[in-house]
Amino acid sequence: MKVVFLILAVVTTFASAKFLAGGYSDHEVSSDIIEVANFAMTQLRNSQNLGAAPMKIIKAQTQVVNGLNYKLDLEFGSMVCQVVVYKPFRGESELTSQQCSNPSKSKRTGFGAPKTTGTDDQQILSAADFFVTEKNKASNSMFLLQRMSIQNATKQVVEGMLYKMDIKMGYGTCRNNQDNYGATDAECPLQSNPRPRVCHVEIVERVWMTPAYTIKNEKCQNKDVETKNPHLVGHDLCHYGMFAQFKETHNKVYFDSQEEKRRFKIFCQNMVTVKELQENEMGTAVYGATKFADMTEAEFNKYISKPWDVSEWDRMVQARIPEADPPTSFDWRDFGAVTPVKNQGSCGSCWAFSTTGNIEGQWKIKKNKLVSLSEQELVDCDKVDEGCEGGLPSNAYKEIIRLGGLETESKYEYDGKDEKCKFVKQDVKVYINSSVAISKDENEMAAWLAKNGPISIGINANVMQFYFGGISHPWKIFCNPKNIDHGVLIVGYGVKGSTPYWIIKNSWGEDWGEKGYYLVYRGAGVCGLNTMCTSAVID
Ligand SMILES: *[C@@H]1O[C@H](CO)[C@@H](O)[C@H](O)[C@H]1NC(C)=O
Ligand SMILES: *[C@@H]1O[C@H](CO)[C@@H](O)[C@H](O)[C@H]1NC(C)=O
């Protein structure tokens, strides 16, 4: 449809920097579109005089964001409205933009129509620089993205100024940190292969607001890594065949057809997340329908802990970091210091597994004996932590000292439930004497690990729900490094091609990830993995 919007009455509220990933694509008028259109109509009637005319849906487009954006052109008699409704994966829909006009009544032609602008226009350049800085802030990349050129820029008067442009960006040679934001080409020259990508961006400038810019829309090509994902078939985001295959692979049986329908819906919502993760992945990770793909966020939360208080780290004794450079790669599994991958089930006891994994390594290295240790003892007897509700390794070390040590896995078996403490002091096989906090610097972490053993860490588990394999390097926006909710164990590290990574032992069974392990990009504090590193000490 080609309607030039001659703006008569404009009421616009712009989305406040919701994360925007792919662009809009056309959508046929289906039941969910009608539902969204009805929702928009109810909202519009509060602010627009739509009269009694029936609504007609002229055009519908959707965009995958952290949820879905619906851009609809709706007609009410002679009035035409373009609306954007944001529908998050979970939570309430929201009308984020509305623009209504009455073409038949307009006399002022041309007002508000976009004008093509030279790309040396200072307003355009300033808006572009704002966008590039926002990109850098959201990026985990070690290097700063720099503006290379601007194409197809237009300016348009709306409620403020609307700039639309294609910005070509590439990696510079300097680090991505605050001091370098806005660096000129002279201060931060481009890399020889800057891996350029083009973003189509729409930015609104309202000089009376702080910040003056709002990113209204963005669509970026990310040609950084070619990821092929066999778990996302064709163009279809979600269809029943995929779900049937998922059910078969993971032996899923549902109570009745209603429950099955509900699970299919959750599965489809999760596939939207998977698509978004995959399209934005900066490493080589593949995301898809793991065994957790039919679970809601609340259900998945049972496999992680409640958020950790990482300030605990500051109160611990700091470990001494070896001075010698660490080897380029190291894996404690090669030295028999790591037990097989365990499975915590739907009990938030990850912290206990992280703790025992560390102590198993320490005992092997100090006493030359690999003993599988009891997590259930910690779930039941650690009075500071909260069993299946979550806990902290730093507390667990102290509780193990108070109790007098750990029993073995076979003596005090795991059953993933909060129960009465059945600890028997005579059955203790392993003790610890104290604990230390390990550096947040990933080079120092590697140096400590190679000399001393596996490290207990906390991480944000957000992207792990859908991790299949490869080196995971998600954008910060997908796993907030300040929100640590899962305890795991770093057992080693390596470099693949030019990509450094950590080898992380998880406790979700061998049928998850890389045979139970998680490979994560090393050197950018991905998902906060460097913020809560600790170890027990055995004298
Ligand atoms: C945008 O700019 C590029 C390069 O100048 C040009 O090839 C392309 O046709 C332009 N696209 C539009 C929609 O103006
Ligand atoms: C470490 O703890 C064990 C068990 O409590 C104890 O026997 C040992 O003496 C302690 N070692 C040191 C150096 O304190």
Side-chain angles (χ1 to χ4, degrees):
M1 183 196 79
K2 277 252 183 317
V3 172
V4 179
F5 283 99
L6 306 171
I7 297 158
L8 192 74
V10 184
V11 183
T12 317
T13 44
F14 291 109
S16 53
K18 294 251 158 48
F19 180 70
L20 301 171
Y24 277 97
S25 51
D26 287 341
H27 200 296
E28 66 196 33
V29 176
S30 57
S31 60
D32 60 323
I33 295 287
I34 293 169
E35 190 188 314
V36 171
N38 279 325
F39 168 79
M41 179 173 68
T42 317
Q43 303 282 310
L44 283 172
R45 287 204 190 278
N46 293 332
S47 57
Q48 306 278 346
N49 180 16
L50 300 177
M55 176 176 70
K56 196 168 143 194
I57 301 170
I58 310 171
K59 185 175 175 183
Q61 290 182 303
T62 55
Q63 179 195 33
V64 177
V65 288
N66 187 12
L68 279 174
N69 270 336
Y70 292 84
K71 192 194 273 180
L72 308 178
D73 290 357
L74 306 173
E75 195 183 278
F76 304 88
S78 58
M79 183 81 96
V80 178
C81 294
Q82 187 174 68
V83 298
V84 178
V85 173
Y86 169 64
K87 201 172 169 186
F89 298 134
R90 299 166 185 105
E92 301 277 308
S93 293
E94 188 189 334
L95 181 67
T96 53
S97 162
Q98 49 168 301
Q99 218 165 3
C100 293
S101 65
N102 195 335
S104 66
K105 282 191 190 160
S106 177
K107 302 227 158 49
R108 299 180 60 181
T109 52
F111 175 72
K115 285 194 197 65
T116 310
T117 310
T119 52
D120 54 354
D121 182 294
Q122 199 49 51
Q123 281 176 302
I124 295 279
L125 292 177
S126 301
D129 286 344
F130 170 81
F131 176 78
V132 174
T133 298
E134 289 305 298
K135 271 284 187 226
N136 277 318
K137 282 186 198 161
S139 160
N140 285 329
S141 165
M142 213 139 69
F143 296 104
L144 194 72
L145 273 174
Q146 290 278 80
R147 162 163 64 79
M148 294 172 72
S149 61
I150 295 176
Q151 294 151 1
N152 308 330
T154 65
K155 281 198 222 178
Q156 189 180 0
V157 181
V158 291
E159 186 218 17
M161 285 297 276
L162 171 63
Y163 308 112
K164 295 185 183 177
M165 64 189 103
D166 291 350
I167 306 176
K168 187 173 176 186
M169 303 181 296
Y171 285 105
T173 43
C174 53
R175 292 275 172 153
N176 177 15
N177 63 39
Q178 210 171 340
D179 297 341
N180 290 330
Y181 292 158
T184 62
D185 283 353
E187 288 160 350
C188 179
L190 288 172
Q191 297 179 3
S192 54
N193 173 13
R195 289 172 288 157
R197 76 275 320 275
V198 175
C199 290
H200 178 77
V201 192
E202 298 181 18
I203 301 172
V204 177
E205 181 182 15
R206 278 169 286 190
V207 287
W208 60 91
M209 282 177 68
T210 334
Y213 297 106
T214 309
I215 298 169
K216 202 182 148 216
N217 207 341
E218 67 172 89
K219 182 181 178 181
C220 296
Q221 308 164 313
N222 192 345
K223 290 270 180 283
D224 226 0
V225 215
E226 291 290 331
T227 32
K228 288 208 177 61
N229 188 343
H231 307 285
L232 292 175
V233 206
H235 301 295
D236 262 349
L237 201 53
C238 180
H239 52 74
Y240 198 80
M242 267 172 86
F243 184 59
Q245 199 185 349
F246 159 80
K247 285 197 305 175
E248 197 185 313
T249 309
H250 299 289
N251 293 317
K252 298 274 182 175
V253 181
Y254 301 113
F255 175 69
D256 59 12
S257 66
Q258 206 179 343
E259 175 66 6
E260 170 139 352
K261 256 192 216 149
R262 195 172 84 84
R263 290 293 158 190
F264 181 46
K265 202 169 160 198
I266 296 165
F267 178 83
C268 289
Q269 282 165 351
N270 283 335
M271 289 308 104
V272 176
T273 308
V274 164
K275 179 168 183 271
E276 196 186 9
L277 284 175
Q278 195 67 74
E279 285 179 352
N280 292 284
E281 167 67 12
M282 294 187 286
T284 59
V286 171
Y287 303 95
T290 65
K291 60 182 173 180
F292 303 112
D294 60 349
M295 289 182 194
T296 62
E297 193 178 354
E299 288 166 329
F300 177 69
N301 281 347
K302 294 197 185 122
Y303 293 81
I304 57 183
S305 171
K306 60 187 203 185
W308 286 14
D309 176 9
V310 294
S311 69
E312 194 59 38
W313 187 91
D314 299 313
R315 293 189 276 275
M316 295 176 73
V317 175
Q318 297 291 314
R320 215 180 55 78
I321 303 300
E323 270 158 30
D325 280 342
T328 50
S329 65
F330 197 92
D331 189 344
W332 278 110
R333 292 176 297 183
D334 300 339
F335 299 88
V338 183
T339 57
V341 170
K342 303 182 187 183
N343 195 342
Q344 68 185 79
S346 62
C347 158
S349 53
C350 51
W351 58 277
F353 286 83
S354 176
T355 306
T356 55
N358 165 262
I359 298 173
E360 287 163 357
Q362 288 302 306
W363 196 259
K364 164 70 188 173
I365 293 159
K366 291 281 165 60
K367 310 284 178 184
N368 199 24
K369 217 166 160 190
L370 183 67
V371 187
S372 185
L373 297 171
S374 171
E375 292 78 27
Q376 193 65 40
E377 176 186 328
L378 292 174
V379 170
D380 296 345
C381 310
D382 174 334
K383 289 181 184 160
V384 178
D385 293 303
E386 296 172 48
C388 288
E389 298 304 308
L392 276 179
S394 50
N395 294 334
Y397 301 136
K398 290 185 210 151
E399 284 293 277
I400 292 166
I401 293 169
R402 177 183 67 79
L403 288 161
L406 282 170
E407 296 189 32
T408 63
E409 192 76 70
S410 54
K411 201 79 196 175
Y412 199 147
E413 277 180 31
Y414 187 72
D415 64 7
K417 294 189 199 97
D418 288 308
E419 281 161 338
K420 225 176 104 237
C421 180
K422 296 184 283 284
F423 175 69
V424 179
K425 191 140 193 186
Q426 286 71 24
D427 290 335
V428 163
K429 280 281 165 334
V430 165
Y431 61 81
I432 64 172
N433 295 82
S434 59
S435 56
V436 285
I438 298 158
S439 172
K440 294 182 182 178
D441 177 305
E442 287 176 77
N443 282 324
E444 297 189 352
M445 281 165 62
W448 191 94
L449 177 137
K451 178 150 190 285
N452 297 288
I455 301 177
S456 161
I457 66 160
I459 195 166
N460 178 318
N462 215 23
V463 309
M464 294 172 74
Q465 184 175 3
F466 305 115
Y467 172 79
F468 260 86
I471 299 169
S472 176
H473 189 178
W475 293 74
K476 258 184 218 156
I477 204 148
F478 295 112
C479 65
N480 183 352
K482 294 204 161 60
N483 185 15
I484 302 302
D485 55 15
H486 189 46
V488 284
L489 185 74
I490 298 187
V491 301
Y493 59 87
V495 182
K496 193 167 190 181
S498 59
T499 308
Y501 63 94
W502 292 112
I503 305 164
I504 297 178
K505 186 187 185 192
N506 195 9
S507 48
W508 293 347
E510 282 184 357
D511 60 349
W512 174 89
E514 297 263 12
K515 295 199 166 67
Y517 282 82
Y518 183 37
L519 306 184
V520 185
Y521 184 84
R522 176 163 56 99
V526 175
C527 304
L529 64 77
N530 59 331
T531 55
M532 195 59 188
C533 304
T534 63
S535 175
V537 176
I538 296 166
D539 293 324

